[in-house]
Amino acid sequence: MISVVIPTQETERLLIPALAALVPGAAAGVVREVLLVDGGSNGAVEEIADAAGCEYLRGPADSGARLRQGAEAARGPWLLFLEPCGLLQEGWAREVRNFTDQAERNGSTEHRAATFRLALDGFGVAPRLKEAAAVARHALTGRPRPEQGLLIHRRFYEALGGYGSGARSARKLLARIGRGRLVLLRSQMLLPED
């Protein structure tokens, strides 16, 4: 059903928990494949990919080019782009299935995409204020942080021109999706506090 694309580069320490968070989706039949597109690590990412049953692709140093390479190699109709630092929280697989099923039923696969709510790893008021600011930013601009992930149908992704080159390619793709076409899912993406 969905192909998960994760661009990696010297992120071995973060990758194992991120992959573990995908297990419920694989068990539920939501995740078809996981592609790790590596921009030059010391070989540990390839070992992790082999042990976890992921597809390993050696890619360029450019993060946008790695995302594009992963999308081109993916076989699923839905693409889920994730950063290795993010941890999908409980219930994400059900939420993704509901979104994709609804988009396919009502014919909105070519003009709707989704992202996860931001959750910051930390205690106290500061992380909660940053989370609230992220929700407000999404409401005002329609643009989440790229680290919140992107779930998009392949046809919509291709119609938008996909990822370009450069470090800001993820932000540019989110801008092309536009405010009214990006759904904020109820499930959360846990990120390290800035």
Side-chain angles (χ1 to χ4, degrees), residues 85-110:
C85 65
L87 295 175
L88 288 168
Q89 299 297 283
E90 187 176 338
W92 74 267
R94 180 180 61 253
E95 188 81 8
V96 164
R97 181 171 296 238
N98 289 343
F99 174 80
T100 57
D101 287 350
Q102 184 181 36
E104 289 172 359
R105 274 195 314 274
N106 64 25
S108 62
T109 58
E110 294 183 38

PDB file of all heavy atoms in Angstrom, residues 85-110:
ATOM      1  N   CYS A  85      15.037  11.151  12.170  1.00  0.00           N
ATOM      2  CA  CYS A  85      14.939  11.622  13.554  1.00  0.00           C
ATOM      3  C   CYS A  85      13.518  11.538  14.100  1.00  0.00           C
ATOM      4  O   CYS A  85      13.301  11.709  15.296  1.00  0.00           O
ATOM      5  CB  CYS A  85      15.456  13.051  13.675  1.00  0.00           C
ATOM      6  SG  CYS A  85      14.472  14.251  12.763  1.00  0.00           S
ATOM      7  N   GLY A  86      12.531  11.278  13.256  1.00  0.00           N
ATOM      8  CA  GLY A  86      11.136  11.275  13.689  1.00  0.00           C
ATOM      9  C   GLY A  86      10.649   9.909  14.125  1.00  0.00           C
ATOM     10  O   GLY A  86      11.011   8.893  13.545  1.00  0.00           O
ATOM     11  N   LEU A  87       9.806   9.908  15.154  1.00  0.00           N
ATOM     12  CA  LEU A  87       9.192   8.670  15.646  1.00  0.00           C
ATOM     13  C   LEU A  87       7.681   8.787  15.510  1.00  0.00           C
ATOM     14  O   LEU A  87       7.062   9.620  16.184  1.00  0.00           O
ATOM     15  CB  LEU A  87       9.543   8.428  17.112  1.00  0.00           C
ATOM     16  CG  LEU A  87      11.000   8.167  17.444  1.00  0.00           C
ATOM     17  CD1 LEU A  87      11.182   8.073  18.946  1.00  0.00           C
ATOM     18  CD2 LEU A  87      11.467   6.899  16.769  1.00  0.00           C
ATOM     19  N   LEU A  88       7.099   7.975  14.648  1.00  0.00           N
ATOM     20  CA  LEU A  88       5.649   7.949  14.528  1.00  0.00           C
ATOM     21  C   LEU A  88       5.055   7.400  15.822  1.00  0.00           C
ATOM     22  O   LEU A  88       5.549   6.405  16.360  1.00  0.00           O
ATOM     23  CB  LEU A  88       5.236   7.091  13.344  1.00  0.00           C
ATOM     24  CG  LEU A  88       5.529   7.712  11.985  1.00  0.00           C
ATOM     25  CD1 LEU A  88       5.371   6.684  10.880  1.00  0.00           C
ATOM     26  CD2 LEU A  88       4.632   8.900  11.738  1.00  0.00           C
ATOM     27  N   GLN A  89       4.012   8.043  16.294  1.00  0.00           N
ATOM     28  CA  GLN A  89       3.402   7.657  17.561  1.00  0.00           C
ATOM     29  C   GLN A  89       2.248   6.688  17.357  1.00  0.00           C
ATOM     30  O   GLN A  89       1.742   6.513  16.243  1.00  0.00           O
ATOM     31  CB  GLN A  89       2.940   8.908  18.307  1.00  0.00           C
ATOM     32  CG  GLN A  89       4.075   9.861  18.650  1.00  0.00           C
ATOM     33  CD  GLN A  89       5.085   9.231  19.583  1.00  0.00           C
ATOM     34  OE1 GLN A  89       4.848   9.115  20.774  1.00  0.00           O
ATOM     35  NE2 GLN A  89       6.226   8.814  19.054  1.00  0.00           N
ATOM     36  N   GLU A  90       1.819   6.086  18.432  1.00  0.00           N
ATOM     37  CA  GLU A  90       0.775   5.070  18.419  1.00  0.00           C
ATOM     38  C   GLU A  90      -0.450   5.516  17.620  1.00  0.00           C
ATOM     39  O   GLU A  90      -0.885   6.656  17.725  1.00  0.00           O
ATOM     40  CB  GLU A  90       0.360   4.752  19.858  1.00  0.00           C
ATOM     41  CG  GLU A  90      -0.599   3.606  19.966  1.00  0.00           C
ATOM     42  CD  GLU A  90      -0.914   3.272  21.408  1.00  0.00           C
ATOM     43  OE1 GLU A  90      -0.132   3.612  22.307  1.00  0.00           O
ATOM     44  OE2 GLU A  90      -1.968   2.659  21.626  1.00  0.00           O
ATOM     45  N   GLY A  91      -0.988   4.604  16.835  1.00  0.00           N
ATOM     46  CA  GLY A  91      -2.198   4.867  16.056  1.00  0.00           C
ATOM     47  C   GLY A  91      -1.942   5.417  14.667  1.00  0.00           C
ATOM     48  O   GLY A  91      -2.881   5.613  13.897  1.00  0.00           O
ATOM     49  N   TRP A  92      -0.690   5.640  14.304  1.00  0.00           N
ATOM     50  CA  TRP A  92      -0.398   6.259  13.010  1.00  0.00           C
ATOM     51  C   TRP A  92      -0.848   5.391  11.839  1.00  0.00           C
ATOM     52  O   TRP A  92      -1.335   5.911  10.834  1.00  0.00           O
ATOM     53  CB  TRP A  92       1.092   6.601  12.888  1.00  0.00           C
ATOM     54  CG  TRP A  92       1.967   5.414  12.672  1.00  0.00           C
ATOM     55  CD1 TRP A  92       2.610   4.687  13.634  1.00  0.00           C
ATOM     56  CD2 TRP A  92       2.277   4.794  11.425  1.00  0.00           C
ATOM     57  NE1 TRP A  92       3.296   3.654  13.059  1.00  0.00           N
ATOM     58  CE2 TRP A  92       3.111   3.693  11.695  1.00  0.00           C
ATOM     59  CE3 TRP A  92       1.927   5.065  10.101  1.00  0.00           C
ATOM     60  CZ2 TRP A  92       3.592   2.864  10.700  1.00  0.00           C
ATOM     61  CZ3 TRP A  92       2.413   4.226   9.104  1.00  0.00           C
ATOM     62  CH2 TRP A  92       3.236   3.148   9.408  1.00  0.00           C
ATOM     63  N   ALA A  93      -0.706   4.073  11.950  1.00  0.00           N
ATOM     64  CA  ALA A  93      -1.052   3.190  10.836  1.00  0.00           C
ATOM     65  C   ALA A  93      -2.554   3.246  10.546  1.00  0.00           C
ATOM     66  O   ALA A  93      -2.976   3.298   9.381  1.00  0.00           O
ATOM     67  CB  ALA A  93      -0.609   1.761  11.131  1.00  0.00           C
ATOM     68  N   ARG A  94      -3.358   3.256  11.582  1.00  0.00           N
ATOM     69  CA  ARG A  94      -4.811   3.352  11.419  1.00  0.00           C
ATOM     70  C   ARG A  94      -5.186   4.684  10.774  1.00  0.00           C
ATOM     71  O   ARG A  94      -6.005   4.748   9.862  1.00  0.00           O
ATOM     72  CB  ARG A  94      -5.497   3.184  12.784  1.00  0.00           C
ATOM     73  CG  ARG A  94      -7.005   3.253  12.737  1.00  0.00           C
ATOM     74  CD  ARG A  94      -7.634   3.084  14.126  1.00  0.00           C
ATOM     75  NE  ARG A  94      -7.211   4.133  15.039  1.00  0.00           N
ATOM     76  CZ  ARG A  94      -6.350   3.978  16.046  1.00  0.00           C
ATOM     77  NH1 ARG A  94      -5.813   2.802  16.291  1.00  0.00           N
ATOM     78  NH2 ARG A  94      -6.029   4.977  16.825  1.00  0.00           N
ATOM     79  N   GLU A  95      -4.546   5.751  11.226  1.00  0.00           N
ATOM     80  CA  GLU A  95      -4.813   7.084  10.689  1.00  0.00           C
ATOM     81  C   GLU A  95      -4.424   7.177   9.206  1.00  0.00           C
ATOM     82  O   GLU A  95      -5.157   7.742   8.392  1.00  0.00           O
ATOM     83  CB  GLU A  95      -4.029   8.116  11.510  1.00  0.00           C
ATOM     84  CG  GLU A  95      -4.349   9.528  11.209  1.00  0.00           C
ATOM     85  CD  GLU A  95      -5.609  10.022  11.901  1.00  0.00           C
ATOM     86  OE1 GLU A  95      -6.174   9.309  12.741  1.00  0.00           O
ATOM     87  OE2 GLU A  95      -6.016  11.141  11.581  1.00  0.00           O
ATOM     88  N   VAL A  96      -3.278   6.618   8.857  1.00  0.00           N
ATOM     89  CA  VAL A  96      -2.837   6.621   7.460  1.00  0.00           C
ATOM     90  C   VAL A  96      -3.804   5.814   6.597  1.00  0.00           C
ATOM     91  O   VAL A  96      -4.194   6.237   5.515  1.00  0.00           O
ATOM     92  CB  VAL A  96      -1.388   6.078   7.350  1.00  0.00           C
ATOM     93  CG1 VAL A  96      -1.038   5.697   5.923  1.00  0.00           C
ATOM     94  CG2 VAL A  96      -0.409   7.123   7.876  1.00  0.00           C
ATOM     95  N   ARG A  97      -4.203   4.649   7.082  1.00  0.00           N
ATOM     96  CA  ARG A  97      -5.155   3.833   6.308  1.00  0.00           C
ATOM     97  C   ARG A  97      -6.476   4.569   6.123  1.00  0.00           C
ATOM     98  O   ARG A  97      -7.037   4.561   5.028  1.00  0.00           O
ATOM     99  CB  ARG A  97      -5.400   2.496   6.992  1.00  0.00           C
ATOM    100  CG  ARG A  97      -6.371   1.627   6.176  1.00  0.00           C
ATOM    101  CD  ARG A  97      -6.450   0.246   6.734  1.00  0.00           C
ATOM    102  NE  ARG A  97      -5.161  -0.372   6.591  1.00  0.00           N
ATOM    103  CZ  ARG A  97      -4.946  -1.505   5.932  1.00  0.00           C
ATOM    104  NH1 ARG A  97      -5.935  -2.120   5.369  1.00  0.00           N
ATOM    105  NH2 ARG A  97      -3.755  -2.019   5.846  1.00  0.00           N
ATOM    106  N   ASN A  98      -6.968   5.218   7.169  1.00  0.00           N
ATOM    107  CA  ASN A  98      -8.219   5.975   7.039  1.00  0.00           C
ATOM    108  C   ASN A  98      -8.090   7.083   6.000  1.00  0.00           C
ATOM    109  O   ASN A  98      -8.985   7.288   5.182  1.00  0.00           O
ATOM    110  CB  ASN A  98      -8.633   6.573   8.392  1.00  0.00           C
ATOM    111  CG  ASN A  98      -9.107   5.526   9.364  1.00  0.00           C
ATOM    112  OD1 ASN A  98      -9.441   4.406   8.999  1.00  0.00           O
ATOM    113  ND2 ASN A  98      -9.128   5.881  10.638  1.00  0.00           N
ATOM    114  N   PHE A  99      -6.966   7.807   6.043  1.00  0.00           N
ATOM    115  CA  PHE A  99      -6.765   8.902   5.086  1.00  0.00           C
ATOM    116  C   PHE A  99      -6.695   8.376   3.660  1.00  0.00           C
ATOM    117  O   PHE A  99      -7.354   8.898   2.755  1.00  0.00           O
ATOM    118  CB  PHE A  99      -5.488   9.687   5.420  1.00  0.00           C
ATOM    119  CG  PHE A  99      -5.165  10.725   4.388  1.00  0.00           C
ATOM    120  CD1 PHE A  99      -5.822  11.939   4.383  1.00  0.00           C
ATOM    121  CD2 PHE A  99      -4.215  10.475   3.400  1.00  0.00           C
ATOM    122  CE1 PHE A  99      -5.548  12.892   3.410  1.00  0.00           C
ATOM    123  CE2 PHE A  99      -3.928  11.421   2.432  1.00  0.00           C
ATOM    124  CZ  PHE A  99      -4.599  12.635   2.434  1.00  0.00           C
ATOM    125  N   THR A 100      -5.888   7.336   3.424  1.00  0.00           N
ATOM    126  CA  THR A 100      -5.733   6.827   2.060  1.00  0.00           C
ATOM    127  C   THR A 100      -7.033   6.214   1.538  1.00  0.00           C
ATOM    128  O   THR A 100      -7.396   6.421   0.379  1.00  0.00           O
ATOM    129  CB  THR A 100      -4.578   5.812   1.968  1.00  0.00           C
ATOM    130  OG1 THR A 100      -4.809   4.735   2.881  1.00  0.00           O
ATOM    131  CG2 THR A 100      -3.244   6.470   2.275  1.00  0.00           C
ATOM    132  N   ASP A 101      -7.737   5.474   2.394  1.00  0.00           N
ATOM    133  CA  ASP A 101      -9.012   4.882   1.974  1.00  0.00           C
ATOM    134  C   ASP A 101     -10.019   5.962   1.604  1.00  0.00           C
ATOM    135  O   ASP A 101     -10.701   5.871   0.581  1.00  0.00           O
ATOM    136  CB  ASP A 101      -9.599   3.990   3.078  1.00  0.00           C
ATOM    137  CG  ASP A 101      -8.840   2.680   3.240  1.00  0.00           C
ATOM    138  OD1 ASP A 101      -7.978   2.367   2.383  1.00  0.00           O
ATOM    139  OD2 ASP A 101      -9.098   1.975   4.236  1.00  0.00           O
ATOM    140  N   GLN A 102     -10.109   7.002   2.438  1.00  0.00           N
ATOM    141  CA  GLN A 102     -11.054   8.079   2.162  1.00  0.00           C
ATOM    142  C   GLN A 102     -10.681   8.833   0.878  1.00  0.00           C
ATOM    143  O   GLN A 102     -11.541   9.153   0.070  1.00  0.00           O
ATOM    144  CB  GLN A 102     -11.127   9.045   3.337  1.00  0.00           C
ATOM    145  CG  GLN A 102     -12.158  10.141   3.142  1.00  0.00           C
ATOM    146  CD  GLN A 102     -12.192  11.099   4.304  1.00  0.00           C
ATOM    147  OE1 GLN A 102     -11.163  11.403   4.897  1.00  0.00           O
ATOM    148  NE2 GLN A 102     -13.371  11.574   4.628  1.00  0.00           N
ATOM    149  N   ALA A 103      -9.394   9.107   0.690  1.00  0.00           N
ATOM    150  CA  ALA A 103      -8.949   9.809  -0.517  1.00  0.00           C
ATOM    151  C   ALA A 103      -9.263   8.995  -1.766  1.00  0.00           C
ATOM    152  O   ALA A 103      -9.676   9.558  -2.797  1.00  0.00           O
ATOM    153  CB  ALA A 103      -7.455  10.111  -0.436  1.00  0.00           C
ATOM    154  N   GLU A 104      -9.107   7.683  -1.694  1.00  0.00           N
ATOM    155  CA  GLU A 104      -9.408   6.838  -2.847  1.00  0.00           C
ATOM    156  C   GLU A 104     -10.909   6.733  -3.086  1.00  0.00           C
ATOM    157  O   GLU A 104     -11.352   6.737  -4.238  1.00  0.00           O
ATOM    158  CB  GLU A 104      -8.765   5.463  -2.663  1.00  0.00           C
ATOM    159  CG  GLU A 104      -7.251   5.537  -2.792  1.00  0.00           C
ATOM    160  CD  GLU A 104      -6.530   4.256  -2.425  1.00  0.00           C
ATOM    161  OE1 GLU A 104      -7.193   3.263  -2.040  1.00  0.00           O
ATOM    162  OE2 GLU A 104      -5.288   4.250  -2.520  1.00  0.00           O
ATOM    163  N   ARG A 105     -11.700   6.678  -2.018  1.00  0.00           N
ATOM    164  CA  ARG A 105     -13.164   6.606  -2.176  1.00  0.00           C
ATOM    165  C   ARG A 105     -13.736   7.854  -2.817  1.00  0.00           C
ATOM    166  O   ARG A 105     -14.607   7.785  -3.669  1.00  0.00           O
ATOM    167  CB  ARG A 105     -13.829   6.397  -0.815  1.00  0.00           C
ATOM    168  CG  ARG A 105     -13.948   4.982  -0.373  1.00  0.00           C
ATOM    169  CD  ARG A 105     -14.921   4.806   0.785  1.00  0.00           C
ATOM    170  NE  ARG A 105     -14.764   5.769   1.860  1.00  0.00           N
ATOM    171  CZ  ARG A 105     -13.921   5.644   2.879  1.00  0.00           C
ATOM    172  NH1 ARG A 105     -13.136   4.587   2.958  1.00  0.00           N
ATOM    173  NH2 ARG A 105     -13.852   6.556   3.819  1.00  0.00           N
ATOM    174  N   ASN A 106     -13.263   9.036  -2.371  1.00  0.00           N
ATOM    175  CA  ASN A 106     -13.858  10.267  -2.892  1.00  0.00           C
ATOM    176  C   ASN A 106     -13.060  10.902  -4.031  1.00  0.00           C
ATOM    177  O   ASN A 106     -13.321  12.024  -4.431  1.00  0.00           O
ATOM    178  CB  ASN A 106     -14.130  11.270  -1.763  1.00  0.00           C
ATOM    179  CG  ASN A 106     -12.885  11.759  -1.078  1.00  0.00           C
ATOM    180  OD1 ASN A 106     -11.804  11.754  -1.644  1.00  0.00           O
ATOM    181  ND2 ASN A 106     -13.029  12.197   0.173  1.00  0.00           N
ATOM    182  N   GLY A 107     -12.075  10.177  -4.559  1.00  0.00           N
ATOM    183  CA  GLY A 107     -11.354  10.644  -5.740  1.00  0.00           C
ATOM    184  C   GLY A 107     -10.443  11.839  -5.513  1.00  0.00           C
ATOM    185  O   GLY A 107     -10.194  12.611  -6.441  1.00  0.00           O
ATOM    186  N   SER A 108      -9.912  11.985  -4.310  1.00  0.00           N
ATOM    187  CA  SER A 108      -9.057  13.141  -4.029  1.00  0.00           C
ATOM    188  C   SER A 108      -7.577  12.788  -3.953  1.00  0.00           C
ATOM    189  O   SER A 108      -6.787  13.560  -3.429  1.00  0.00           O
ATOM    190  CB  SER A 108      -9.508  13.823  -2.730  1.00  0.00           C
ATOM    191  OG  SER A 108      -9.382  12.947  -1.631  1.00  0.00           O
ATOM    192  N   THR A 109      -7.183  11.643  -4.498  1.00  0.00           N
ATOM    193  CA  THR A 109      -5.786  11.217  -4.412  1.00  0.00           C
ATOM    194  C   THR A 109      -4.847  12.158  -5.157  1.00  0.00           C
ATOM    195  O   THR A 109      -3.670  12.231  -4.825  1.00  0.00           O
ATOM    196  CB  THR A 109      -5.591   9.795  -4.965  1.00  0.00           C
ATOM    197  OG1 THR A 109      -6.050   9.766  -6.320  1.00  0.00           O
ATOM    198  CG2 THR A 109      -6.346   8.776  -4.137  1.00  0.00           C
ATOM    199  N   GLU A 110      -5.361  12.861  -6.151  1.00  0.00           N
ATOM    200  CA  GLU A 110      -4.494  13.719  -6.958  1.00  0.00           C
ATOM    201  C   GLU A 110      -4.494  15.177  -6.517  1.00  0.00           C
ATOM    202  O   GLU A 110      -3.924  16.022  -7.208  1.00  0.00           O
ATOM    203  CB  GLU A 110      -4.870  13.594  -8.429  1.00  0.00           C
ATOM    204  CG  GLU A 110      -4.586  12.195  -8.944  1.00  0.00           C
ATOM    205  CD  GLU A 110      -4.867  12.023 -10.407  1.00  0.00           C
ATOM    206  OE1 GLU A 110      -4.595  12.962 -11.180  1.00  0.00           O
ATOM    207  OE2 GLU A 110      -5.364  10.952 -10.774  1.00  0.00           O
TER     208      GLU A 110
END
